[in-house]
Amino acid sequence: QVQLVESGGGLVQAGDSLRLSCAASGGTFSGYAMGWFRQAPEKEREFVADIRWSTTYYADSVKGRFTISRDNAKNTVYLQMNSLKPEDTAVYYCAAGWRRANKLSDVVYWGKGTLVTVSS
């Protein structure tokens, strides 16, 4: 059983940057694809980014602004978010999957989420 704990959310202004972290425990971190999803109020949870070994994938809405990375020595995955927009406001969830983590059906473990609010 893998536990995922997100941190780093908060209230920022449009154009600001924020870095989310997700610390994993209870499993072999390097063996999982890790991803980030988000869910805005009254919307469905959506894919943001994932990383499989060193290969990264991004949703079109965040491409060029967000960067996902991982530190296997620290069992941690990060999401660097730059040029934030009000439409990025959501609860951000860390996710782990066996070979990928870019679809809801891929995810085997979820974190509880961290709220990011971007004011205009």
Side-chain angles (χ1 to χ4, degrees):
Q1 185 77 10
V2 174
Q3 291 80 44
L4 303 174
V5 179
E6 302 95 336
S7 61
L11 172 63
V12 297
Q13 294 186 332
D16 285 351
S17 297
L18 206 58
R19 189 177 82 156
L20 305 182
S21 299
C22 171
S25 61
T28 306
F29 178 76
S30 61
Y32 292 95
M34 299 299 299
W36 289 93
F37 289 72
R38 67 186 182 186
Q39 187 165 15
E42 300 182 356
K43 291 190 176 181
E44 294 185 352
R45 194 170 297 190
E46 64 177 7
F47 167 73
V48 175
D50 81 339
I51 183 167
R52 313 164 199 179
W53 296 102
S54 59
T55 303
T56 58
Y57 298 86
Y58 297 93
D60 288 343
S61 59
V62 306
K63 202 171 294 183
R65 299 188 298 123
F66 291 10
T67 302
I68 188 171
S69 62
R70 65 191 298 165
D71 185 336
N72 289 339
K74 296 182 177 179
N75 288 355
T76 302
V77 62
Y78 304 97
L79 185 67
Q80 177 67 43
M81 305 185 293
N82 298 330
S83 302
L84 283 161
K85 304 175 181 180
E87 52 263 44
D88 294 319
T89 294
V91 176
Y92 283 71
Y93 295 92
C94 181
W98 294 120
R99 283 185 281 184
R100 61 186 181 189
N102 66 359
K103 295 180 181 179
L104 294 175
S105 57
D106 294 330
V107 178
V108 292
Y109 299 108
W110 289 101
K112 293 185 177 181
T114 185
L115 177 62
V116 173
T117 304
V118 184
S119 63
S120 57

